Amino acid sequence: MRGGVCLDATARSRKARILKARPLFGKRLIFGGTFALVHSRGRVHYLTMLQTMSHSDPGDLAKLGELILDIRVALLTTVDRDGRFHARPVQTLKVEADRTLWFFTDWSSPKVDELHHDVRVSLGYADSTKNVYVAVTGSGRLIRDSQKAKELWSIEQRAYYPEGPEDERLALLRVVIERAEYWIAPGRVSYIVAAVTAAVTGTPAGIIGENRKIE
């Protein structure tokens, strides 16, 4: 004791002041299994709540396929002859291991002319109830293949193609994935943790949840 003050308490207080003064950039802060990484971008500091974040690994493509088939309906965007984007909903019928996505469309659809002019396409999938989002870019090709159509066929397709898989109006759209990315946001608790952490550190959150890139 010195002057009624405990030396251990004084040392702890001094250490706390030093730690508080140190920059947090590059430090990991642990919050119940989820960690935060504080980093700097220019003069703005960001707090990134990470459960997992990386570029693609062998399991990412399989996970991508699961997410796509679970959501099923996407917004397909093509480019018309004037260079304008044209988006419309499409139903994903199959995801194959060779990065191929299959869809039905009509030979009279504007996308037929657009894909003959420019094969570039993008697909956006979203399930806001599960906080799952997928973005795909690739190349599209239209083909006529009654055998493949039979493989992809389901009874509800007769609403659009009354003659069945051999309907003359039925075209197959094959999209080869070139790049893809998906985001899976965590539950509300993780956002509360991020909010509290941001309030304590004064650092806004960047990415919260899981983000994977497939190239």
Side-chain angles (χ1 to χ4, degrees):
M1 299 287 289
R2 178 181 298 172
V5 178
C6 177
L7 291 177
D8 287 342
T10 302
R12 286 197 298 270
S13 177
R14 183 181 301 111
K15 184 177 180 180
R17 288 197 301 271
I18 292 171
L19 288 173
K20 185 176 181 180
R22 289 176 182 172
L24 291 173
F25 310 138
K27 300 294 183 182
R28 294 183 178 186
L29 309 176
I30 308 299
F31 295 94
T34 300
F35 66 84
L37 176 64
V38 181
H39 57 96
S40 178
R41 187 178 301 164
R43 293 186 177 181
V44 181
H45 311 313
Y46 296 87
L47 176 67
T48 305
M49 300 298 295
L50 298 171
Q51 290 180 319
T52 52
M53 181 182 179
S54 70
H55 289 283
S56 59
D57 60 45
D60 289 345
L61 192 58
K63 181 66 174 180
L64 176 73
E66 291 174 7
L67 296 176
I68 287 175
L69 288 178
D70 188 48
I71 300 172
R72 191 71 68 167
V73 176
L75 275 180
L76 168 72
T77 302
T78 52
V79 182
D80 69 18
R81 290 183 178 271
D82 294 322
R84 296 173 300 189
F85 298 119
H86 183 187
R88 79 287 279 167
V90 291
Q91 181 184 23
T92 311
L93 302 176
K94 190 173 184 179
V95 181
E96 295 185 333
D98 63 352
R99 294 181 171 228
T100 300
L101 305 177
W102 289 97
F103 309 86
F104 282 165
T105 190
D106 195 305
W107 282 109
S108 64
S109 168
K111 70 174 72 68
V112 174
D113 179 67
E114 291 164 357
L115 287 169
H116 283 156
H117 173 68
D118 192 329
V119 299
R120 294 176 298 166
V121 301
S122 70
L123 291 152
Y125 297 82
D127 185 344
S128 59
T129 61
K130 296 181 179 178
N131 293 320
V132 176
Y133 307 91
V134 179
V136 171
T137 57
S139 57
R141 179 187 174 199
L142 292 159
I143 62 175
R144 192 185 297 276
D145 185 335
S146 60
Q147 288 303 116
K148 189 67 176 179
K150 289 177 182 177
E151 177 189 330
L152 301 172
W153 187 260
S154 60
I155 188 63
E156 61 265 24
Q157 298 295 339
R158 282 197 181 273
Y160 305 101
Y161 309 103
E163 301 301 320
E166 297 182 353
D167 195 309
E168 288 295 317
R169 297 169 45 252
L170 177 57
L172 300 183
L173 170 58
R174 178 178 183 263
V175 173
V176 177
I177 299 172
E178 296 173 0
R179 299 180 65 185
E181 188 168 1
Y182 65 80
W183 299 261
I184 303 175
R188 185 168 179 266
V189 172
S190 294
Y191 283 95
I192 293 173
V193 169
V196 172
T197 306
V200 171
T201 64
T203 304
I207 298 170
I208 302 176
E210 182 179 354
N211 173 221
R212 301 279 185 175
K213 297 179 180 179
I214 295 97
E215 297 183 357

